[in-house]
Amino acid sequence: MTVELFGIPRLRAGVSQSIADGSTLGEILLDLARRFPSLGEDCIDGCTLKAGYIANLSGERFVTDPETELNEGDIVLLMSLDAGG
Amino acid sequence: MHPTPGYHGRYLRIDLSIGIAKSVSLEASFLRKYLGGSGLGVALLMKEGAAMVDPLSPEAAIAFVFSPLVGSPLTTSAKFAVVSKSPLTQRINDSLASSGFALTGKKTGNDAIVLVGRASRPSIVLIENDQVRLEPAEDLMGCSNPETQEKLRSRLGSDFQIATIGPAGERLVRFSTISHDGRHAGRGGSGAVLGSKNIKAIAVRGTQRVQWSDQSALVRLAKELSEKSFGPATAKYRELGTASNLLTFNRLNVLPTRNFQQGSFHGATAISSEELGVVRNRTRASCAACTIGCEHLYSLKSGVPVRLEYESLFALGSLCGIDDSEIVLVASQRCDAAGLDTISSGGTIGFAMECAERGLIDAPWLRFGDGNALLRALDLIVSGKGLGQLLAMGSRAMAMEIGCDSIEFAPQVKGLELPGYDPRGLQMMALGFAVGSRGADHNRSGAYEVDFSEAVDRRNVGPESAHLAVESEDRAALMDSLILCKFLRGVFGDLFQESAEILRLVTGWNLTATELRETALRIVTEKKRFNILAGWTPSEDTLPKRMLQTAIPEDARASLSTDRLASLIKAYNLARGWSEEGWLPESETGAGAL
Ligand code: SF4
C-alpha cells in the first residue's frame, strides 16, 4: 500500500512517500512504525495514530479506526491533524 | 475599591480632536460579561455607537484592548485586540496581535485604550502611565513600519513599545495593518482607521501591574500549560510552522490557486516550507511570552530573514500563480514593511490578474504567475498610483467598480478576502466563512478542524452538523477574549472548563464552564448586533457565486450549491437561537436595531 506523509509525519519519517504492508489502517501503521522508528515513536501508538495526527484515504475520507479495511489502490495519507494557519 | 485582580478596572479614552484623555471606569460585572480582547472591544465600540458611523470619519472609534491574562505567566497570553468598524467590510473588525505592546500597554494602568476624533496633524500618541500627549509625526510620514519603530525607539528610548502604521495605513488602504515588532493586527484595515485619525504610532510605557487572585496556583498552572505546549499538539507549529499546510492542502485539492480557479498548484513544491527549509536558511522566533514559537523565517538570497506563514504563502504564491519562492518572500516582506494584510493583498491582486486576463481591466502586464507583476501591483497599492487606487479598495469594491459580473469571482465575503481554504472542499469552513461577523475568516471560526476529521464528509456537509460551526466560533470567541493563542487550543481537553479555572486563579471569579459558554455566545451575539446596526442583511451571509456554481476543477465532488449553503446557514442560525435568516430575537436587538 502506498503511504504519503505530510507535516510532522514526513519530518519524522524523512520521506514524503513510502510503501507499507497491511490490509487495515492499523496494520499499515504497525508496519510504518517498524520501518520508521522516529515516526513510530512520535506519531503512532501501536496500531493507532497518536493525538494530533490523522489519516486520510486517497484524499477521500478521514479515518482513525485501526480496523478500517483498505482497498486495492487506496493511498494512505498521514498528516498533522491541526490544519490551522 | 480595588479593581478585580487581572484588571485595572478602567480604560483610557482619548479624543484626538480636542486633545483630551480621560480615564473611564469599568465595572467588574461588565468585565465579567465580556472578559477582554475581542469581547471587551466590541462591547466598548457599542458604547461608542461605532456601528453607525463611517469607520474613517473622526467620529469613529478604535479600541486597543488588553485582557485579564496579559502580564500573567501563562504562555501565549501577551496579546491585544484592535477592534473597530472595518473600512473594508463596513462591519465589525477585531484583529489580534501578540507582542510586548500588550504587556507594556497594560502596564500603563488601562484595560483598553480607545481613540476617537482626528488629530489636526500627523501625530504620535504617547501614553506613559497617567500621562498622555500627542507629538508631531510629520518626519515619520512615508516611513515603513520597521523604519518608524526604529526612529521612534531612538527618539523615545527602548523601553517604549510602539505600534505603528506603514505607508499603506497613511494612504487609507482598506486592508492596511497595525504593526509592532513584526507582528500585525492584520485583517480588515485597522491601519487605515488609525491613518484616518492622523495617528502614525502609539507609544506606551508604564509601571502599573495588576494583582493575581491566586498567584502561586497561577504560576503552577502556567508551568503545566507551558509543559503541555511542548507536546505533540503544537509540534507542527513549533517544528514546521503554519506554512507546512501548503502541501497537505494541495494534496486534498483545497489550495486556492489562481483566484480559486483551481484547487491545486503545479508550483506548490517549489514554494513549500519543506523546499524552503532545504534551499534557504531557516530560523525560528516567537511572540513575546510564548513557549511554542511558530514563527519560521526564511532567508532571502540577500540573507535577510523573512517571516512566512501559510496565509502569506498561499495568498502571494498559489493564489497569484507564483512559483518563485524568492518573489513570495520579497512580496511578504514588502507587505509587512508597508503594513498590508497579505491575505487581502494576494486576494485582491489575484482577482485583478483574472480581470486583466479576461480583458475587464486595462492592465496587460498583470498576469498570473508573473512575480514582477505581483511586486509592481503591491507597490502601486502602497503608492496609490495608477491601478493601485482601485486595488487599494479591496476586491469587492473593485468588482463593483469594474462591473461585468466580476463580483461573482471576487474572492470575498462581506468584503473580506478569503483565507487559504477552498470552501467547496471544506464545507464546514464554508459555513464559517459565510456567517462570519468580520467576513471570510479562519480565525474567528476554526470550522476547518471539523472538515479535517471523521465528524463530517468535508465535501458534503449537511445541516445536522451546523452546530459544530457554532461550537468552533464560540471557542474562538472565548480564546480571543481571554486572550490565548489559538495554536494552543490542542492542549486543552475541555477549553471552557479549563478556562474557567484559569480565570478563577487570575480574577477570583467563581466561574463555570456553562457561564463561559454563555459569555462566548454573548460576544458572538454582540458582534452580530453591531453588524445589524451597521446595516447587515441576511443576503451578505453567503459565498462568491463562483464557489456556488462550479466545483473545484480537480475534484468534481467538491461542489456546494446555493441551496445547500442556505440550509447550512439556516441550521446555524437556529442553533444560535436566532431567526432562520439570522436576525436576533427582537427582545435582544435593542432599540432601533432592526
Ligand atoms: S504560537 Fe505563534 S502566533 Fe501564537 S503566540 Fe506563539 S509565536 Fe505567536
Side-chain angles (χ1 to χ4, degrees):
Chain A
M1 202 71 65
T2 301
V3 181
E4 294 178 17
L5 301 108
F6 298 88
I8 294 292
R10 178 180 294 194
L11 197 66
R12 294 293 183 269
V15 295
S16 58
Q17 192 168 324
S18 177
I19 299 292
D21 293 329
S23 58
T24 64
L25 177 64
E27 289 170 7
I28 292 289
L29 293 176
L30 276 171
D31 191 39
L32 282 173
R34 268 193 298 270
R35 290 172 192 250
F36 304 105
S38 294
L39 176 72
E41 194 170 321
D42 286 356
C43 307
I44 297 171
D45 188 2
C47 57
T48 59
L49 282 165
K50 285 189 177 174
Y53 303 99
I54 191 148
N56 181 290
L57 296 187
S58 307
E60 293 294 316
R61 65 189 173 106
F62 287 96
V63 288
T64 54
D65 183 355
E67 303 296 324
T68 305
E69 302 266 348
L70 304 179
N71 299 314
E72 190 152 341
D74 274 348
I75 299 172
V76 179
L77 317 181
L78 289 190
M79 55 187 73
S80 298
L81 178 59
D82 196 332
Chain B
M1 200 173 126
H2 289 298
T4 304
Y7 292 100
H8 294 288
R10 59 184 183 168
Y11 71 95
L12 187 65
R13 185 180 189 276
I14 305 173
D15 188 327
L16 299 161
S17 298
I18 53 175
I20 286 186
K22 83 176 178 195
S23 181
V24 184
S25 57
L26 287 163
E27 298 288 326
S29 58
F30 186 74
L31 292 169
R32 187 162 172 162
K33 277 172 81 176
Y34 296 104
L35 302 180
S38 289
L40 182 57
V42 68
L44 292 175
L45 282 200
M46 289 295 275
K47 273 168 71 120
E48 292 285 344
M52 288 166 291
V53 300
D54 174 354
L56 300 182
S57 69
E59 295 74 34
I62 182 166
F64 293 75
V65 193
F66 312 114
S67 84
L69 309 193
V70 172
S72 76
L74 294 158
T75 184
T76 79
S77 63
K79 288 187 179 275
F80 64 104
V82 182
V83 189
S84 71
K85 186 174 177 180
S86 162
L88 184 65
T89 68
Q90 301 295 322
R91 301 290 174 259
I92 187 73
N93 185 45
D94 51 339
S95 298
L96 272 58
S98 302
S99 73
F101 185 85
L103 297 169
T104 306
K106 189 170 171 184
K107 279 198 218 156
T108 63
N110 297 291
D111 296 316
I113 298 163
V114 176
L115 303 182
V116 296
R118 176 178 291 155
S120 57
R121 58 193 286 198
S123 303
I124 306 154
V125 180
L126 264 118
I127 306 169
E128 191 174 3
N129 290 321
D130 297 334
Q131 302 295 312
V132 182
R133 65 181 193 275
L134 294 181
E135 283 198 358
E138 275 90 354
D139 59 318
L140 299 169
M141 298 310 274
C143 290
S144 70
N145 281 310
E147 285 164 355
T148 308
Q149 286 164 28
E150 200 182 311
K151 284 186 180 179
L152 281 176
R153 235 174 242 132
S154 56
R155 191 199 295 181
L156 302 171
S158 58
D159 49 349
F160 269 96
Q161 298 289 331
I162 305 154
T164 59
I165 60 169
E170 292 172 31
R171 290 190 188 282
L172 311 186
V173 174
R174 301 304 193 263
F175 43 91
S176 51
T177 66
I178 294 174
S179 163
H180 176 255
D181 270 356
R183 305 299 302 181
H184 301 268
R187 304 232 64 196
S190 48
V193 178
L194 210 53
S196 75
K197 300 195 171 304
N198 257 335
I199 298 302
K200 177 71 175 167
I202 302 179
V204 290
R205 182 164 73 175
T207 52
Q208 302 183 52
R209 293 175 187 276
V210 294
Q211 303 293 311
W212 311 114
S213 178
D214 188 340
Q215 169 127 9
S216 50
L218 182 64
V219 168
R220 271 199 305 278
L221 190 143
K223 202 164 157 242
E224 280 168 32
L225 201 59
S226 295
E227 275 161 16
K228 284 191 205 163
S229 78
F230 296 122
T234 58
K236 185 190 90 171
Y237 298 117
R238 276 182 284 121
E239 296 187 45
L240 294 167
T242 57
S244 72
N245 287 345
L246 191 97
L247 290 182
T248 310
F249 284 27
N250 192 53
R251 179 63 176 83
L252 297 176
N253 297 314
V254 293
L255 175 66
T257 300
R258 298 166 66 99
N259 192 33
F260 289 85
Q261 294 181 90
Q262 293 160 254
S264 64
F265 182 43
H266 69 85
T269 301
I271 59 170
S272 68
S273 58
E274 287 80 351
E275 181 70 11
L276 287 172
V278 170
V279 300
R280 290 169 191 274
N281 198 18
R282 180 164 71 174
T283 48
R284 237 180 95 202
S286 68
C287 300
C290 171
T291 48
I292 299 173
C294 73
E295 281 186 37
H296 291 251
L297 297 92
Y298 300 91
S299 296
L300 292 172
K301 283 180 184 149
S302 64
V304 174
V306 177
R307 187 168 58 88
L308 194 64
E309 296 173 354
Y310 169 67
E311 295 299 340
S312 306
L313 186 56
F314 108 87
L316 303 168
S318 61
L319 199 59
C320 295
I322 308 294
D323 62 4
D324 179 338
S325 60
E326 182 77 5
I327 293 285
V328 175
L329 287 168
V330 170
S332 184
Q333 185 192 38
R334 283 195 196 178
C335 286
D336 283 356
L340 289 172
D341 172 27
T342 53
I343 301 176
S344 284
S345 297
T348 302
I349 293 171
F351 168 68
M353 285 172 164
E354 186 171 346
C355 289
E357 291 197 351
R358 287 174 177 230
L360 300 179
I361 56 173
D362 183 20
W365 53 273
L366 193 57
R367 290 289 180 267
F368 284 114
D370 185 334
N372 290 324
L374 170 68
L375 298 180
R376 180 174 165 190
L378 285 173
D379 290 346
L380 288 175
I381 292 172
V382 179
S383 68
K385 292 191 180 135
L387 186 63
Q389 276 193 1
L390 197 55
L391 291 168
M393 308 293 287
S395 62
R396 180 176 67 177
M398 199 174 158
M400 299 307 219
E401 189 73 27
I402 294 168
C404 306
D405 294 331
S406 59
I407 191 70
E408 295 184 2
F409 59 90
Q412 53 78 36
V413 174
K414 299 185 179 74
L416 192 71
E417 283 70 25
L418 271 78
Y421 305 75
D422 195 310
R424 292 166 288 189
L426 299 168
Q427 296 183 358
M428 208 73 235
M429 191 69 256
L431 173 58
F433 285 164
V435 299
S437 58
R438 73 169 186 172
D441 182 62
H442 64 295
N443 279 318
R444 305 294 164 265
S445 170
Y448 55 79
E449 284 181 316
V450 184
D451 288 310
F452 276 75
S453 76
E454 288 176 300
V456 296
D457 173 353
R458 66 185 171 88
R459 294 170 299 182
N460 189 24
V461 172
E464 68 286 351
S465 304
H467 68 282
L468 298 171
V470 171
E471 281 173 25
S472 169
E473 217 175 38
D474 284 354
R475 279 198 301 274
L478 176 63
M479 294 197 86
D480 292 341
S481 303
L482 282 172
I483 307 170
L484 286 173
C485 182
K486 300 225 184 58
F487 294 165
L488 195 63
R489 65 191 182 278
V491 311
F492 292 105
D494 181 335
L495 174 68
F496 289 89
Q497 188 64 48
E498 291 170 55
S499 298
E501 176 62 4
I502 288 173
L503 278 172
R504 188 181 68 76
L505 301 179
V506 168
T507 64
W509 291 331
N510 199 11
L511 288 152
T512 61
T514 305
E515 181 177 339
L516 282 186
R517 284 184 186 281
E518 288 165 5
T519 303
L521 171 62
R522 179 181 305 115
I523 290 165
V524 173
T525 305
E526 203 63 7
K527 291 180 183 178
K528 183 59 171 275
R529 184 174 286 118
F530 183 102
N531 281 355
I532 290 173
L533 289 168
W536 173 89
T537 61
S539 63
E540 64 194 65
D541 283 0
T542 188
L543 291 172
K545 269 209 174 131
R546 163 172 286 164
M547 319 272 172
L548 301 172
Q549 291 180 338
T550 56
I552 296 176
E554 297 91 331
D555 184 358
R557 281 199 60 221
S559 73
L560 176 61
S561 68
T562 306
D563 286 350
R564 197 143 54 78
L565 179 63
S567 74
L568 292 174
I569 293 171
K570 179 176 152 188
Y572 165 91
N573 286 329
L574 293 175
R576 278 243 169 266
W578 302 343
S579 81
E580 282 184 9
E581 287 186 300
W583 297 104
L584 301 181
E586 210 168 348
S587 59
E588 282 198 344
T589 54
L594 294 179

